[in-house]
Amino acid sequence: MNPVELHDVDALLAALHACRDAWDTPDRTGDPVDLHDHGLQTARLLERAHPEDHELQVAGLVHDLGHLLYPGDDAGHADHAAQALRPLLGERVARLVALHVPAKRYFVATAPDRALSPQSALTLEAQGGAMTPAEVEEFRRDPLFSAAVALREADDAGKVVGLRTGTMEDWRPVVERVARAAA
C-alpha cells in the first residue's frame, strides 16, 4: 500500500469533502453519521472547549480521514491519517490524530463505565484493547496527553445525527493558518 500524502490545503479540503457519504464501515453499520459530519462535529466541539488551540481543532476535523484513505483498516486508520497529514499540518496535528485511538484504549482502561459507540466498541480489540497499567502510565506522561484526551472526548460526542455545525469551507482559514505555521 503506497502512503497517501496531502501536500496542500485544497487537496485536504477535497478529501474532507469526499467524506460526505463516506462511512467508518463500508456497509454503513458503524457510527450513525458520515465522516464529513463527524469531523465537523468533532472540530466544533473542540473549538468551543479549546478556542485558542487551532491545531487541536484541525486534528478533530481530520482525525478519521484514514477511514477514507484506507477503507476497512480500523486498526491502522489513525496512523495512516497521521502519516498523510504530517507534511501539511505538522507534527502536533499528526500526533494528535494518531493518539485518538490510544486515547480510546486509555478511557476503556481507566473509565470502564464510559460508553463507547457500538462501532468504537467493535473496533477496540483490533486496536489493541484496553491499555495495560504500564501503557496507561506511559500515555499519561506523553506531552500531548491532555489534548489527546480532549480530542477523544470530542470524537465520542461528535456522532449526532442531523446536528449542523457549519461547512468544511468554514474551516479553510483555520486549516490554512495551521498549515502555514507547520511549513
Side-chain angles (χ1 to χ4, degrees):
M1 186 177 313
N2 292 331
V4 174
E5 291 183 358
L6 301 166
H7 289 288
D8 62 56
V9 171
D10 289 333
L12 174 58
L13 287 175
L16 291 169
H17 281 291
C19 287
R20 184 171 295 287
D21 293 322
W23 301 80
D24 57 349
T25 58
D27 63 1
R28 295 180 60 166
T29 60
D31 288 327
V33 295
D34 65 18
L35 297 173
H36 177 273
D37 289 350
H38 176 56
L40 287 172
Q41 289 180 28
T42 303
R44 192 64 69 199
L45 289 166
L46 289 164
E47 178 188 43
R48 289 179 188 143
H50 304 275
E52 302 303 317
D53 193 341
H54 296 141
E55 290 176 330
L56 178 58
Q57 296 163 24
V58 170
L61 187 69
V62 301
H63 75 282
D64 271 347
L65 196 56
H67 286 299
L68 178 77
L69 301 175
Y70 297 93
D73 188 356
D74 292 322
H77 82 279
D79 291 332
H80 292 310
Q83 183 177 1
L85 296 162
R86 185 172 279 110
L88 177 62
L89 299 177
E91 187 62 26
R92 184 168 183 259
V93 172
R95 284 211 56 239
L96 286 169
V97 168
L99 288 172
H100 87 274
V101 169
K104 174 171 77 169
R105 296 180 59 229
Y106 167 81
F107 277 127
V108 171
T110 61
D113 293 338
R114 180 188 171 98
L116 292 174
S117 72
Q119 183 61 23
S120 287
L122 185 66
T123 59
L124 177 65
E125 287 309 310
Q127 295 167 337
M131 284 185 170
T132 65
E135 289 173 320
V136 166
E137 289 309 311
E138 182 180 343
F139 186 59
R140 285 181 174 152
R141 286 191 300 270
D142 191 302
L144 293 180
F145 168 76
S146 294
V149 165
L151 173 55
R152 185 70 219 184
E153 289 172 332
D155 180 10
D156 290 340
K159 300 175 182 182
V160 179
V161 175
L163 181 64
R164 295 293 161 228
T165 54
T167 69
M168 281 299 166
E169 283 303 315
D170 295 339
W171 285 96
R172 179 181 286 276
V174 180
V175 172
E176 288 174 342
R177 194 171 317 127
V178 169
R180 274 193 308 273

